[in-house]
Structures are given as structure tokens and as C-alpha cells.
Amino acid sequence: MERHVSQILVTGGAGFIGSNFVLHWLSQNKGRIINLDLLTYAGNLGNLASIEGHAGHVFVRGDICDRTLVDRILSEHRPSAIVHFAAETHVDRSILGPEAFLRTNIQGTFHLLEAARAYLETLPAEERSSFRFLHVSTDEVYGTLGPDDPAFHEDTPFAPNSPYAASKAASDHLVRAWAHTYNLPVLITNCSNNYGPLQFPEKLLPLMIGNALAGKPLPVYGDGRQVRDWLFVVDHCRAIETVLEKGVIGETYNVGGGNQQANIDVVHTLCDLLDELVPDSPQKPHRQLIRFVQDRPGHDRRYAIDPRKLERELGWRPQETFATGLRKTVQWYLANRAWMNEVTSGAYQNWVHMNYGQRGEHKNESASAGAR
Ligand code: NAD
Ligand code: DAU
């Protein structure tokens, strides 16, 4: 049965998926959102410019680790759900500096769970029974797959390989334990790689789009044959909405688009699309910008999600194919060059120097043949 959710607390709603979720939710008049976000390097109020002044959106700049603040928000606004996106999310950053990941992803989730537990006790029985804590997580908690392994399903054992993945796995375990021990009414989603508008250009697709438009090298890690399972961000937002409204308390739902692709194939498709959409580009053919660089340490080889539980039990289906979603994404970045310029100024350049400065270029004969 579908639940009506009137007012929700969203954490991390100025980041990539969080801001897409806020925009999606408000576009359907689903109810009011209290948006708690620290505005780290990855958070950007510009992502929410189109809803500036919207009565259904209350933005609070703050830290999920600040228990006093979270308590105050909960008692003041009395949300019927918490949708928890806030996290440190970039694997390369977690390799160069893991501490922030442990703080936000593990301690931050702990503080939110504790705040939710205390808040729940203040609610009358009816409100208590309709409250939900939805924890947004990742397929990376399951580790890596061989070429012929079946896709990750909800019972696949956790085997996280990067500091990021380990911190998310820890947060998933905390959520599970708070449900089991304290009866906190939780829902967990584990999703595959998202792409789409408003993604910070440290992640593969927006980084490649930004570099290609600027005529900079397109740095493909290792042999480029690592496989990811791509999902258009709005389809992820729809999945979260579906789980919030129809999910069974205590259950985990895997979310994925059925779009497994090797990184080099994704970059080739992107380059060809840019050739088509920017026909007068001096960088054409964009494939000439591809460079194979030193691999990411501990790089997971393959992720793939089995989303059949979510499809079968809650009726969710992705609406975009990779072709339609990628076209929409590239068109958005082409139409929003000011957004890209804004987020890549300043500190972003330090990150590019730190992550890519030492990688160098290497020849990958089999893969570079395809790049030509
Ligand atoms: P993002 O890095 O784009 O955004 C994270 C947001 O959290 C930012 O707005 C940031 O300011 C905020 N934040 C960080 N630390 C905070 C703190 N201590 N207190 C309050 N706010 C804080 O991340 P994203 O890609 O939008 O991912 C959102 C969630 O979805 C994460 O939990 C991530 O693990 C999960 N996820 C992401 C993907 C993906 O492909 N991007 C896939 C599956 C799951
Ligand atoms: O699978 C879900 C996860 O997807 C999320 O939980 C993470 O928050 C999100 O960052 C993403 O993790 P990945 O490490 O898969 O995403 P990223 O965009 O960093 O890299 C995608 C693939 O592309 C990966 O195999 C590494 C490769 N890559 C990435 C960058 C940034 C390159 O080859 N070159 C690059 O410059």
C-alpha cells in the first residue's frame, strides 16, 4: 500500500543526487522538504537555483554530525521521513584522504540514527508508525565481480574494497543494527553508478564532458575495461520515491539500470555524441583526446546490480536507456556551461592537480587501438 509522505528531511540535498531528488519531489508537489547540507566542495546551492524562494523548500546549512542541530530540525519541523543522501562520495578522494569519509559516512549516519530514534519517541503512535528512515547507499558495498559472476542481489555478502566503500558498508550496517535493536523503521537502497545533470565533475562522465569541451586530455584509468552499471539519476530518484512510499520496513532494495558498460566504451560513446552535438568543435574527433593513465589503486573491476526485487515487489522500472539518458546529460552540460565554469574554478583545480598530476600516461595497446 502507498503511504502519503507530507514533510521530509533530506540530508545532502545540495549534492548531485540529492538536488535532483529535491527538484523531482517538488515538481510533483509531494510535500515540503527540509534540506540539511553542509555545502562541502560537492554541495552547491546553484543546483537548487530554479527553486529559490519555493515555499516547499527550507534549506539549512549544517553538518549531520551536529546532533544539537539535527535534534532541533526534527522537533521544529516534525518530518514524517528522513531521506539520507549526505556523504563523502568520491572513491579517488577516499584513497587520498580517508578520514573525512569515516567522519561523515559513519559518524554522521550514527548521529542521524540516534537523533531519529530520540525523535520517534516523542511522536504519537500514528505518526510513529508512518515514520521512515531511508538510507541511500551504493553497490560498492558488495565489492567487485568477475566477468561471469551474477549481478549483486540484496543478499550478496558485503566485501567493500575502497575506504569509501568500507565507510558506506559500515553505515549500512549501523542502519541495519538500529532497525534490529531499536525497531527504527528503516529502508535501505543500494544503487549503481548514477549519471545526469548537476553531477560534480570529479566523477567519470562530467569530468570527461568538461575536459572534452575544453580540449583537455580524457584520462582513462588502467586498461579502461572496468565495468560499471549506469543509471540515469532521475530514475534513481524515482526509485527512492517508490521505496519511501511503498517499501517494506527493514528491507533493502538494489537499484540499477541494467546498463553494464566498460569505461572505455562509455568514453567512446560520449566522444561520438560530442562530435554529433558540437559539430564545429575544434576538438573533433573527440576520441583523439583519450589518454590511458595510471590505474586507481585497488580499482574494482566490475559492478552489476540485480534490480528485480524492486521491479517485482514495488513496480519500479527505469525510464531512460543509456542512449537517451546520456543524450539528455550531454545536452544539459552544453546548455549549462556557466554551471561547469563556476564549479571548476578555485579549489577544483587543486584536486585535478593532486589526483591527475602524478598519474602520467601509459600505452595500452589493445585499448588505445579502439581509441583511434
Ligand atoms: P555528492 O558528493 O554529489 O553530494 C554529497 C552531498 O552531501 C553534498 O551536497 C555535500 O555538501 C553533502 N555533505 C557532505 N558531508 C556532509 C555533512 N557532514 N553534513 C551535511 N551534508 C554533507 O554525492 P551524490 O553522488 O549525490 O551521492 C549521494 C548519496 O548517494 C551518497 O550517500 C552516495 O553514497 C550515494 N550513491 C551515489 C551514487 C553515485 O553514482 N553518485 C550511486 C549510489 C549511491
Ligand atoms: O557504483 C556506485 C558508485 O559510483 C557511487 O557509490 C560513488 O559515490 C560514485 O562516485 C561512483 O563510484 P565510481 O568509482 O564507480 O565512479 P567514478 O565516476 O569515480 O568512476 C567511474 C569509473 O571510471 C571507475 O571505474 C573509475 C573510472 N575513471 C574515473 C575517473 C574519475 C577513469 O577511468 N578516469 C577518471 O578520471
Side-chain angles (χ1 to χ4, degrees):
M1 211 183 67
E2 194 160 320
R3 292 176 332 111
H4 178 66
V5 186
S6 53
Q7 169 152 276
I8 62 176
L9 170 61
V10 165
T11 71
F16 164 48
I17 305 173
S19 61
N20 273 285
F21 180 81
V22 169
L23 298 176
H24 172 74
W25 186 265
L26 292 180
S27 73
Q28 300 182 89
N29 299 317
K30 287 271 178 180
R32 200 153 165 261
I33 287 185
I34 319 303
N35 183 354
L36 171 63
D37 194 299
L38 187 56
L39 297 181
T40 67
Y41 79 91
N44 179 3
L45 274 183
N47 294 354
L48 301 165
S50 63
I51 52 162
E52 205 182 327
H54 193 301
H57 180 239
V58 178
F59 183 79
V60 181
R61 184 174 190 179
D63 192 338
I64 56 168
C65 296
D66 182 345
R67 177 68 196 275
T68 311
L69 174 65
V70 177
D71 284 345
R72 184 166 60 70
I73 291 171
L74 291 174
S75 65
E76 208 172 287
H77 296 284
R78 300 177 69 83
S80 57
I82 298 175
V83 183
H84 177 32
F85 293 96
E88 289 290 335
T89 63
H90 189 33
V91 173
D92 291 320
R93 286 188 194 252
S94 83
I95 293 167
L96 290 173
E99 195 168 352
F101 289 73
L102 273 58
R103 181 184 180 277
T104 292
N105 300 0
I106 304 176
Q107 284 181 32
T109 301
F110 160 72
H111 288 300
L112 267 188
L113 287 166
E114 281 292 83
R117 185 160 78 92
Y119 167 63
L120 213 58
E121 281 174 15
T122 69
L123 295 180
E126 201 180 313
E127 286 178 45
R128 198 178 317 145
S129 68
S130 65
F131 180 83
R132 299 288 185 274
F133 184 107
L134 193 158
H135 177 63
V136 180
S137 192
T138 170
D139 58 1
E140 300 203 13
V141 299
Y142 300 121
T144 186
L145 293 169
D148 300 321
D149 288 340
F152 301 128
H153 55 84
E154 287 78 2
D155 295 326
T156 302
F158 279 18
N161 288 320
S162 70
Y164 163 68
S167 69
K168 289 297 288 188
S171 68
D172 290 20
H173 284 317
L174 290 177
V175 174
R176 181 192 150 86
W178 260 243
H180 190 80
T181 305
Y182 304 113
N183 284 325
L184 197 72
V186 308
L187 299 154
I188 300 178
T189 55
N190 290 91
C191 188
S192 60
N193 284 64
N194 284 214
Y195 67 98
L198 301 169
Q199 186 168 30
F200 192 74
E202 62 187 355
K203 308 283 167 67
L204 181 75
L205 273 164
L207 179 109
M208 295 293 174
I209 294 170
N211 281 15
L213 294 177
K216 293 181 181 164
L218 308 182
V220 174
Y221 294 166
D223 65 0
R225 304 296 329 164
Q226 302 81 9
V227 171
R228 296 292 182 266
D229 186 350
W230 295 94
L231 181 69
F232 189 63
V233 64
V234 180
D235 279 326
H236 186 191
C237 295
R238 289 194 190 99
I240 291 167
E241 173 190 353
T242 302
V243 171
L244 190 60
E245 293 176 343
K246 298 197 240 168
V248 176
I249 288 177
E251 290 293 314
T252 291
Y253 297 91
N254 279 358
V255 189
N259 263 313
Q260 293 179 55
Q261 305 226 24
N263 293 336
I264 188 63
D265 296 335
V266 168
V267 176
H268 282 160
T269 305
L270 173 66
C271 287
D272 298 348
L273 191 54
L274 284 169
D275 290 352
E276 179 201 322
L277 295 176
V278 198
D280 54 355
S281 166
Q283 322 305 340
K284 255 177 89 178
H286 290 87
R287 286 187 184 208
Q288 68 179 320
L289 296 171
I290 294 173
R291 301 287 180 276
F292 290 91
V293 301
Q294 193 187 330
D295 208 352
R296 172 186 280 175
H299 198 170
D300 282 340
R301 197 68 184 165
R302 175 177 165 239
Y303 303 143
I305 277 282
D306 179 346
R308 281 177 296 180
K309 175 177 173 182
L310 178 58
E311 295 178 351
R312 193 179 55 242
E313 295 184 9
L314 305 188
W316 172 86
R317 292 267 181 301
Q319 293 184 4
E320 301 291 344
T321 64
F322 190 62
T324 61
L326 188 64
R327 185 170 287 269
K328 281 186 181 172
T329 302
V330 175
Q331 284 170 333
W332 186 88
Y333 282 94
L334 289 173
N336 290 276
R337 292 195 194 214
W339 181 94
M340 182 66 103
N341 292 338
E342 171 80 28
V343 299
T344 53
S345 61
Y348 179 78
Q349 299 306 329
N350 301 338
W351 164 251
V352 169
H353 180 70
M354 202 163 42
N355 191 43
Y356 296 96
Q358 310 302 319
R359 281 187 193 270
E361 186 183 341
H362 71 85
K363 285 264 174 294
N364 186 299
E365 291 308 333
S366 58
S368 56
R372 284 192 284 269

